[in-house]
Amino acid sequence: MSEEILINFTPIETRVAVIENGMPQEIYVERAERRGIVGNIYKGKVVRVLPGMQAAFVDIGLERAAFIHVDELQHPDDDSAGVPGKAQLAINRLLREGQSLTVQVTKDPLGTKGARLTTNLSIPSRYLVYMPGNEHIGISQRIEDNEERERLRKAVEEVVAGMEDQSTKVGGFILRTVSEGVSELELKQDILFLCRLWESIARKIEKFGAPTCIYEDLPLNMRALRDMAHGGIERIRVDSRETFQRSQQFAEALVPEISNILEYYPGERPIFDLYNIEEEIQKALGRKVELKSGGYLIFDQTEAMTTVDINTGAYVGHRNLEETIFKTNLEAATAIGRQLRLRNLGGIIIIDFIDMLDEDHQRQVLRTLERVLEKDHVKCKLTGVSELGLVEMTRKRTRESLEHILCEPCGHCQGRGSVKTSETVCYEIFREILRQHRAYDTDSYLVLASDRVVAMLLDEASDHVAELEAFIAKTIRFQVEPMYGPEQYDVVLR
């Protein structure tokens, strides 16, 4: 499987695409005026403690106060802190209003919700994640070789033990997937780098008051080099010479093994046009996804969950109905895995596959979906088929979806996804005229509305208009307002 990363940089926006076998699988967008804050460390101030919810709101300098649950509080006297399902100290014993608190953002503000916080700080580097308030050494589950896991664990333990012999309290580490096969020297360099970085952060925590941003994670183009580049990536192409030069310097200092696959793309053709990424972005913003067979998927995203509906569409198959349904569901399972990554959909996801009578077909479709989700670097949890024939899954959500980054609710339908028919608006206008007639004495009425509504009033609904004029004994005139949406209208007294 060939993989590459494309980085499209402008001063106002950075976009990164992950390409697998010529097809975009993931798209990341970061705008200079609205950068994501996941991973940032803040010195915040507790503004409200909620004992009933075992949570608190913390001012970290954003428009909305951020939220922290007692599970995310690290407390030296409570060994169960940060371990879900264990007994916790009451939140009002741990926090008080006005208290300063060092926190890290685990989820960006999403919709109407503020950012989610934790006091269990972690700082990532190329091979490791450093946890200054912890002593645990963990290893990515994606490193499956037991001998390699043991080698990595011993290597980190030896470095940590050597530093602690010098009366330096170090902390805990998690070895990332890309650390597989890395030498002990490279791991030691990473550990020393992280410890020096933490010392700098700790000094700022002591120095500055709340609310203050103490540490910002890297910008998107640098995070792509640190987090997305792995042994399977064939090349990383950057379309900005200045960004390419900074990327080279960053790679040489932190991830030297990718320096030889980093390329500057000078082509006149936009880099995202190489794999029709712009077209894929437009498709990912739509509800409907066409399948090659003729079937299609419908994605509906709400604040609480996302639903995916599968339909056979124009696909009629060659044998029988069950075979047609099975093949459509198999193709849909593969497409859904890709769309979840492309759209960055998170939270609860409900998939309504077409009903299959054959249990073996059900198992094969589920297994196909599982295999596709295994490629996803975001944590996913898949359940079996429910009593209603639905597949339920969760996908960890840390940042906003592609739709929420690039779109806003429609001003005409207020985010409903549909607008009233012209006929419905006409009847609303009739009722409004009757309401005005009973309340005010006027000679005539002028109706301002969109061209479609006015056309219906003058044509299909003209008989009703005539009846209304006769009933109120007033003249009604109509005028098209080009700036009005399909549901907008005004009734003016003349």
Side-chain angles (χ1 to χ4, degrees), residues 70-90 94 120:
V70 71
D71 283 349
E72 296 296 340
L73 284 170
Q74 190 177 60
H75 191 263
D77 299 326
D78 181 16
D79 293 336
S80 67
V83 183
K86 290 194 176 182
Q88 300 285 341
L89 290 173
L94 299 173
N120 297 295

Side-chain angles (χ1 to χ4, degrees), residues 88-150:
Q88 300 285 341
L89 290 173
I91 188 96
N92 50 3
R93 289 183 58 192
L94 299 173
L95 298 179
R96 65 181 187 281
E97 290 184 12
Q99 175 183 344
S100 291
L101 191 68
T102 302
V103 292
Q104 187 168 33
V105 178
T106 58
K107 287 186 180 180
D108 276 326
L110 297 170
T112 58
K113 299 174 182 176
R116 290 291 297 264
L117 306 174
T118 183
T119 59
N120 297 295
L121 307 183
S122 61
I123 306 167
S125 66
R126 174 60 175 160
Y127 303 118
L128 300 153
V129 176
Y130 178 46
M131 301 174 292
N134 203 317
E135 295 183 0
H136 173 70
I137 295 177
I139 302 174
S140 167
Q141 293 181 354
R142 296 194 179 190
I143 300 177
E144 297 177 351
D145 186 283
N146 289 331
E147 288 186 13
E148 176 63 5
R149 292 175 68 88
E150 189 59 29

Side-chain angles (χ1 to χ4, degrees), residues 421-464:
T421 64
S422 297
E423 182 182 25
T424 299
V425 178
C426 287
Y427 281 96
E428 286 186 3
I429 290 171
F430 295 156
R431 288 193 294 273
E432 181 61 22
I433 290 173
L434 284 171
R435 191 179 296 113
Q436 300 277 17
H437 173 67
R438 294 188 184 100
Y440 306 104
D441 184 19
T442 186
D443 294 331
S444 63
Y445 297 93
L446 173 64
V447 175
L448 308 175
S450 66
D451 55 352
R452 288 181 60 188
V453 171
V454 170
M456 176 166 276
L457 287 164
L458 295 175
D459 185 10
E460 298 169 51
S462 58
D463 290 346
H464 299 304

Side-chain angles (χ1 to χ4, degrees), residues 37 40-49 55-68 95-105 109 114-117 208-214:
I37 60 171
N40 288 6
I41 296 174
Y42 293 84
K43 188 172 183 178
K45 181 182 288 186
V46 178
V47 292
R48 192 177 176 195
V49 178
F57 286 105
V58 182
D59 177 13
I60 59 172
L62 303 181
E63 184 179 344
R64 287 193 299 272
F67 179 88
I68 187 166
L95 298 179
R96 65 181 187 281
E97 290 184 12
Q99 175 183 344
S100 291
L101 191 68
T102 302
V103 292
Q104 187 168 33
V105 178
R116 290 291 297 264
L117 306 174
F208 295 110
T212 305
C213 181
I214 301 295

Side-chain angles (χ1 to χ4, degrees), residues 195-230:
C195 289
R196 286 195 298 269
L197 178 58
W198 171 244
E199 287 172 8
S200 168
I201 292 170
R203 286 194 296 270
K204 288 181 181 179
I205 293 170
E206 291 292 325
K207 180 179 178 181
F208 295 110
T212 305
C213 181
I214 301 295
Y215 164 80
E216 279 189 284
D217 200 3
L218 296 169
L220 176 59
N221 54 301
M222 300 302 183
R223 293 202 308 274
L225 303 182
R226 183 190 70 192
D227 300 338
M228 300 178 202
H230 54 78

Side-chain angles (χ1 to χ4, degrees), residues 316-386:
V316 294
H318 301 288
R319 295 185 184 177
N320 54 49
L321 179 61
E322 179 67 19
E323 191 69 20
T324 300
I325 290 171
F326 174 54
K327 288 187 175 179
T328 303
N329 282 340
L330 277 179
E331 187 181 2
T334 303
I336 287 168
R338 176 172 176 261
Q339 288 294 322
L340 294 181
R341 294 172 66 188
L342 202 58
R343 296 166 183 249
N344 190 36
L345 296 173
I348 300 170
I349 299 163
I350 307 295
I351 305 170
D352 185 11
F353 284 107
I354 307 167
D355 289 341
M356 294 171 286
L357 301 176
D358 190 321
E359 290 186 3
D360 185 51
H361 285 175
Q362 290 181 17
R363 283 193 296 271
Q364 288 188 57
V365 169
L366 271 179
R367 182 58 194 140
T368 299
L369 183 59
E370 286 172 354
R371 280 200 302 269
V372 175
L373 294 177
E374 284 170 2
K375 301 176 185 176
D376 197 336
H377 69 279
V378 175
K379 185 178 180 181
C380 298
K381 184 179 179 182
L382 184 68
T383 69
V385 181
S386 72

